[in-house]
Amino acid sequence: MSRFTTRTLTVMALLTALEIVLSRFLSISTPYTKIGFAFVPVAVAGILLGPLCAGVVGALADVLGAVLFPIGAYFPGFTLTAFLMGLCYGLFLKGKQSFPRILGAVAVHQLVLSLLLNSLWISVLYGSPYRPLLLTRLPQCAILSAVQLALIPLIAQLLPRLRGRGA
């Protein structure tokens, strides 16, 4: 279990701020889909800090982003999903980032959390029928799965180099 040192809290704060910027300003959003790179800071938190810290980064970024830069109505289900996403990245990626572990993290994130759980939250929030909503969100999950499978290994390779420079 990670200790919350000053360094850990600072890294978490920076990753939270970066996630808010990537999610709220540098992503393509509609009421039913969202495509962007907001997963990167949470994945980095999972790799560097582990499941609990990555979960906190995801949840805190969701709450702060919703309060400071609202896109729609705040719904706590999305905060739960954001926490679970960080937890997932931390469980799969802390320590060793092999392709099967990256594939597992992306599969759980995209299929279980994004496709199934977030579709449920959207269905509850907007009153949309659940099954047709799943079909409309499949392309988003397919695209983001491919992007994550390409980027996470690159990020995992770059992090030790950044850490060696005093990061």
Side-chain angles (χ1 to χ4, degrees):
M1 182 156 196
S2 294
R3 286 184 31 227
F4 287 99
T5 63
T6 304
R7 181 183 179 108
T8 301
L9 291 173
T10 303
V11 170
M12 288 173 66
L14 290 171
L15 291 172
T16 299
L18 182 58
E19 198 278 346
I20 291 170
V21 169
L22 290 173
S23 175
R24 302 293 169 164
F25 301 111
L26 300 175
S27 65
I28 300 167
S29 284
T30 71
Y32 302 112
T33 62
K34 188 174 198 175
I35 296 178
F37 297 99
F39 71 92
V40 171
V42 182
V44 169
I47 293 169
L48 294 178
L49 306 173
L52 179 61
C53 291
V56 170
V57 166
L60 193 57
D62 184 73
V63 170
L64 289 175
V67 169
L68 297 173
F69 310 104
I71 293 173
Y74 173 74
F75 188 75
F78 294 118
T79 303
L80 173 63
T81 302
F83 177 81
L84 293 173
M85 176 183 66
L87 195 68
C88 170
Y89 281 132
L91 289 172
F92 279 95
L93 303 178
K94 178 71 174 159
K96 186 177 182 191
Q97 297 87 40
S98 64
F99 185 75
R101 292 173 70 103
I102 293 169
L103 182 62
V106 171
V108 170
H109 173 211
Q110 286 302 317
L111 296 176
V112 176
L113 300 176
S114 183
L115 185 62
L116 296 178
L117 196 56
N118 274 350
S119 295
L120 175 65
W121 303 143
I122 292 169
S123 177
V124 168
L125 189 61
Y126 294 108
S128 304
Y130 183 69
R131 286 186 184 177
L133 186 59
L134 286 176
L135 293 175
T136 63
R137 291 177 43 80
L138 269 174
Q140 168 195 336
C141 290
I143 291 167
L144 284 175
S145 293
V147 168
Q148 289 180 9
L149 286 172
L151 283 181
I152 291 174
L154 293 173
I155 293 165
Q157 285 180 338
L158 288 174
L159 284 177
R161 293 180 188 168
L162 293 174
R163 231 190 267 167
R165 294 184 180 175

